[in-house]
Amino acid sequence: MDTNISRRSLLSVGIGAGLVAALPGAAVAVSTADDAGLRADPFMLGIASGEPWPDGFVIWTRLAVDPLAEDGLGGMPSRTVPVAWEVAEDAGMRRVVARGVEQARIENAHSVHVELSGLKPGREYFYRFRSGRHIGAVGRTLTSPAPHETPAALAMAFASCSQYEHGYFTAYMRLAEDHPDLVLHLGDYMYEYKKGNYVIGGGNPRDHEGPETSSLAGYRQRHGQYKSDADLQAAHAIAPWLVVWDDHEVDNNWADEVPENTDAGQLNDTTERFRQRRAAAFQAYYENMPLRASSVPAGFDMKIYRTIQWGQLANFHMMDTRQYRDDQLAGDGWKKNVAERLAEDRTITGAEQEKWLLDGFRDSTQRWDILGQQVFFAERDRDKSADIDDVSMDGWDGYAASRRRITQGWVDANVRNAVVLTGDVHRNWANDVKVDYKDPASPVVGSELVCTSITSTGDGTGSTTDPTMAWNPHLKFYNDNRGYVTTRITKDAMTADFRVLDHVTTPGAPVSTKASFEIRDGVPGLVARG
């Protein structure tokens, strides 16, 4: 073997407290299962990858032999457990290009995050983990293209809002069967409620374990319950994910340091108690997601906004519309004629994140600039009267000046194609985006694609009619089914298929395409297909 070639292909892997250098094909010594005390399969939470970049990605697992253990530690021993990993060019794991060992530590709930570099850009890779005699499933992942390259196409899917109690995660399995190359999850990956607190008509087909999540043990246990689902595991194993939270990963409709309940006697009635809850939620979120070390929480702060480039084809600006926002006005919810929502100093992003995004628009050379974010972006007024507006205080309508600055920012930066991706509302929508929604002559400057929920609110009605569309002409499509959205992005167009299931309260539903839209390069706005 040419030693110089081997050294040039050395992979520097950042893991936990230090750096491990792994030569391709190097042998790995791991303790036996009995030595680690793991007589049962520790890979019950599956595997995942994420954060693709041109020469690497993150691969993740978390060891647990009892995912529902009340202490949140998955029934694992109170000691560090070595975990071997390997990355290969083939699904049979014969052409291994990197191996190493990570230490799964109790202080991180025995989670493993391996950040790889030194791989080839724009390539498909496969990976797996081993602890003693136990070997985890093989996952598929990708590196992003080289910065100067424009790939022919990218198959990207996005989803949100998976309330475990409201149905089965069949949509995740169908998403995996569609074989995307990249998955965006736009929030509400898990829900905080205890059994019986959030019940759909006809009753919940499944129940949460444990109390409402407020402690680190509770959040860890809840993530463990979700990650135990085989359909969700399949979606994680098929492609790298980019994740951002919304509200339920912490507390319904939280805003910065303000919890949902501030009344005396409620679960989170003080700022300090909510900070502690936020810190616990963030720690568990990091432990259970394939995120880089740059997102390791610092107490009750955790940075998740970042940009991932897909060569010259696309920028994915992953946003955080919870941690830095002003509190919702008028007690939250849908409210009429709240003048303060138009105030110039209101923000849903915070000043630092807004500057980051606007700078990103100005620096962009990519064909598509895609915002992966949480709450409804376009104006959605429920009252048809010209002198009354009835809008959601939780969405961008409650922060109208913040939305205008972002939208005008991409216009001023001459962004070629701006597309906003949204979750949260448990319905499919497709919208044209304007700077000024009150002026009928205001041009369309972008598009918004809103995915429905994976399960939240149950089966849905299948309706494709919403009365507000009559006086909100920029709202082009509505649907009340559960599912996800798949897209195909090329230099000439972005196509979006709204993939839906007829039912989720029983497992195994087939998937179909309810509607398809195209966004053409250099032509803002949506064009219906078929």
Side-chain angles (χ1 to χ4, degrees), residues 153-212:
L154 169 64
M156 180 272 291
F158 65 100
S160 72
C161 301
S162 45
Q163 219 288 22
Y164 182 93
E165 300 177 297
H166 288 181
Y168 294 88
F169 288 167
T170 310
Y172 279 135
M173 178 60 76
R174 300 295 176 248
L175 184 154
E177 292 168 350
D178 284 342
H179 213 265
D181 292 328
L182 182 67
V183 177
L184 274 59
H185 200 286
L186 302 180
D188 295 345
Y189 181 93
M190 52 143 280
Y191 281 67
E192 77 276 30
Y193 304 110
K194 69 178 181 179
K195 175 183 175 180
N197 272 19
Y198 187 13
V199 181
I200 58 174
N204 291 342
R206 307 196 288 186
D207 292 319
H208 281 152
E209 291 286 334
E212 177 166 336

Side-chain angles (χ1 to χ4, degrees), residues 27-106:
V28 173
V30 187
S31 67
T32 66
D34 287 346
D35 288 341
L38 304 180
R39 299 180 184 275
D41 180 7
F43 295 111
M44 297 183 70
L45 304 184
I47 57 173
S49 70
E51 305 298 299
W53 56 93
D55 70 340
F57 36 72
V58 172
I59 56 174
W60 169 96
T61 194
R62 178 185 160 206
L63 304 184
V65 296
D66 178 11
L68 299 182
E70 290 185 2
D71 64 0
L73 295 176
M76 292 294 294
S78 299
R79 65 178 74 98
T80 296
V81 177
V83 180
W85 57 266
E86 56 185 359
V87 175
E89 295 178 330
D90 66 303
M93 304 300 293
R94 291 178 294 272
R95 299 193 302 276
V96 174
V97 296
R99 287 190 176 106
V101 177
E102 163 71 333
Q103 303 300 319
R105 305 180 188 279
I106 189 172

Side-chain angles (χ1 to χ4, degrees), residues 281-320:
F282 288 0
Q283 175 67 22
Y285 188 81
Y286 177 78
E287 290 169 351
N288 286 277
M289 293 295 171
L291 288 164
R292 303 182 195 182
S294 56
S295 289
V296 169
F300 59 88
D301 292 321
M302 179 175 169
K303 184 177 179 182
I304 63 167
Y305 67 84
R306 72 265 189 214
T307 297
I308 292 84
Q309 295 182 359
W310 204 263
Q312 286 298 301
L313 185 63
N315 285 319
F316 292 94
H317 305 285
M318 305 301 292
M319 298 179 64
D320 180 350

Side-chain angles (χ1 to χ4, degrees), residues 246-247 251-256 258-260 321-322 325-333 335 338 340-341 346-348 375 392-395 398-399:
D246 190 18
D247 53 336
D251 178 34
N252 181 52
N253 280 21
W254 65 283
D256 195 3
V258 181
E260 178 182 23
T321 61
R322 288 290 166 193
R325 68 160 65 193
D326 293 323
D327 192 15
Q328 296 94 337
L329 292 168
D332 206 354
K335 298 293 166 60
V338 179
E340 294 94 332
R341 76 182 186 90
R346 279 188 63 72
T347 180
I348 194 171
V375 292
S392 170
M393 297 296 103
D394 190 57
Y399 306 81

Side-chain angles (χ1 to χ4, degrees), residues 228-273:
S228 299
D229 188 278
D231 292 336
L232 176 55
Q233 289 184 13
H236 272 299
I238 198 64
W241 282 39
L242 301 176
V243 299
V244 286
W245 57 52
D246 190 18
D247 53 336
H248 291 290
E249 290 89 348
V250 181
D251 178 34
N252 181 52
N253 280 21
W254 65 283
D256 195 3
E257 297 183 23
V258 181
E260 178 182 23
N261 295 313
T262 56
D263 298 332
Q266 292 293 332
L267 181 62
N268 300 292
D269 57 357
T270 69
T271 298
E272 182 54 37
R273 288 177 66 185

